[in-house]
Amino acid sequence: MTSLHPFQTNDPRLWPVYDKVVACQRLTADDALALYRSTDILAVGWMANQVRERMHGDRTYFNVNRHLNPTNVCVAACRLCAFGRKKDAPGAYTMALEEAFEIAASGYSEAVTEFHIVGGLHPDLPFQYFLDLVSGLKQRFPQVHLKAFTMVEVAYLARRAKLSIRETLEQLKAAGVDSLPGGGAEIFADRVRHIICDHKINGEQWLETARTAHEIGLKSNATMLYGHVENEEDRVDHLLKLRTLQAETGGFQTFIPLAFHPANTPLEHLPCTTGMLDIAQIAVSRLVLDNFPHIKAYWQMMTPKIAQISLRFGADDIDGTVVEEKIYHDAGATTPQGMRRQELTRLIREAGREPIERDTLYRPVVRTETSVTVAV
Ligand code: V47
């Protein structure tokens, strides 16, 4: 096809988007829809890669982390989830504090720099359990960053402890929480939330909790669960709400699009996402979320192969070694439950990128035979 536009794509809807991308202008909701609706994945990816390289060059971040899920007991019964259990259901577990500390120590051989701690909404565990968990981990592993509790857990703890969100976050911070993960955001649109996670806080409450965390100096991540019953407008709405809050607080570090895994959930009849959508979602996220420093291709969710390819389609982060991922594996993920540092760096190098080990706040980590330090 011949055209007068310099951007080599046979999808003319992308021309105005290209013009904005090269001029570093903000994309609109219509631009985002045009990106989602295009099948020219190479053109969409090319633009996302331009932005990614403008921001980070070849630098590609990973960290050495361990997941810790203190309980899978959850009152919420979300249709999206295969992890949560009712209190007396088979497979329900709640770790005693000592057990949680032992498990944390068992992943310590590679000198982890982060514990990623999330769990169910347990109806009986007191707020003090969570404060003791955090302060106990901090005492035992003072150099490890504690990225703990989604906005949904924070809001639930606040309700049970009869505290405001701010007081709850302040107490968690004082106990040792260093930042918050991005989970629980799902899709902000009420219509979708009613279907996939009816009992969770709504989108506005999620955003308000994130705002409060940022206001008291806690950074956080943000996620979006896609590939279930949402449509493209819902995804665009979600991204724009995050971009608006980020413009206000600057407290988000990274955005992680999460592909829905239907196995063992009440939505098991839905198909899995395809590679095209996974890659497009990374690229659209990079282009729309111009004020988010990082876009993470979470390899546990995407598979290491798709996550690696994403590094040339807008992603600059591949998450971490993880160790013992449970949420996706309960939902049928067949990826390994953890990956060694060397394997992660090989994936990054073979994508033509430069691996940078980071801590949770994206400061480079320097390792020698005997020590691990953060370059500030
Ligand atoms: O909020 C639950 C999702 C999230 C399923 O902040 C599911 O660095 C797919 O947020 N299929 C938790 N997804 C995981 C999460 C996360 C992961 C990695 C890094 C970070 C970070 C955060 O997992 C939940 C929900 O959106 N989830 N069940 C499922 N069946």
Side-chain angles (χ1 to χ4, degrees), residues 43-192:
V44 173
W46 185 88
M47 290 187 280
N49 193 49
Q50 290 303 301
V51 176
R52 183 254 197 250
E53 290 186 357
R54 213 186 275 154
M55 294 173 91
H56 301 290
D58 280 331
R59 288 185 298 282
T60 297
Y61 301 93
F62 71 98
N63 71 350
V64 177
N65 63 350
R66 188 189 213 294
H67 282 208
L68 190 62
N69 307 118
T71 180
N72 64 354
V73 172
C74 191
V75 293
C78 296
R79 287 194 191 91
L80 68 89
C81 182
F83 172 71
R85 301 275 187 285
K86 289 286 162 254
K87 208 166 50 171
D88 303 318
Y93 73 84
T94 300
M95 293 176 188
L97 288 175
E98 282 307 322
E99 197 183 342
F101 300 146
E102 267 169 42
I103 289 177
S106 70
Y108 207 60
S109 56
E110 279 209 68
V112 299
T113 60
E114 169 189 286
F115 291 136
H116 169 124
I117 309 166
V118 295
L121 308 180
H122 196 297
D124 305 326
L125 280 179
F127 186 35
Q128 196 58 45
Y129 168 93
F130 296 91
L131 296 174
D132 292 345
L133 174 68
V134 168
S135 57
L137 285 169
K138 219 11 145 206
Q139 202 182 3
R140 287 165 178 78
F141 310 98
Q143 66 282 43
V144 177
H145 182 107
L146 302 182
K147 184 179 77 181
F149 312 126
T150 64
M151 307 305 161
V152 176
E153 291 167 271
V154 170
Y156 185 69
L157 291 176
R159 209 179 86 199
R160 292 212 48 242
K162 297 191 172 51
L163 294 170
S164 68
I165 298 283
R166 184 175 294 266
E167 285 163 339
T168 307
L169 283 164
E170 274 166 354
Q171 289 197 30
L172 288 169
K173 187 179 177 199
V177 166
D178 297 301
S179 72
L180 279 77
E186 320 310 1
I187 284 277
F188 294 139
D190 283 339
R191 178 185 58 77
V192 178

Side-chain angles (χ1 to χ4, degrees), residues 23-39:
C24 297
Q25 285 169 6
R26 181 153 280 192
L27 302 187
T28 63
D30 283 343
D31 296 330
L33 283 174
L35 290 166
Y36 273 129
R37 289 176 184 159
S38 179
T39 51

Side-chain angles (χ1 to χ4, degrees), residues 67 80-82 116 147 180-186 200 221 223 225 254 256 258-262 265 296 298 319 327-328 331:
H67 282 208
L80 68 89
C81 182
H116 169 124
K147 184 179 77 181
L180 279 77
E186 320 310 1
K200 271 188 187 160
N221 294 337
T223 56
L225 187 72
T254 187
I256 311 136
L258 297 169
F260 179 55
H261 283 227
T265 76
K296 186 188 284 189
Y298 181 39
D319 201 76
I327 295 174
Y328 277 88

Side-chain angles (χ1 to χ4, degrees), residues 341-355:
R341 212 172 158 275
Q342 263 178 324
E343 293 170 65
L344 270 180
T345 54
R346 187 170 77 95
L347 282 181
I348 296 170
R349 283 212 178 87
E350 286 203 6
R353 300 298 197 198
E354 180 197 357

Side-chain angles (χ1 to χ4, degrees), residues 5-7 14-27 46-47 50-51 54 287:
H5 198 279
F7 190 40
L14 296 181
W15 293 339
V17 183
Y18 169 88
D19 291 338
K20 288 184 189 171
V21 169
V22 293
C24 297
Q25 285 169 6
R26 181 153 280 192
L27 302 187
W46 185 88
M47 290 187 280
Q50 290 303 301
V51 176
R54 213 186 275 154
L287 288 164

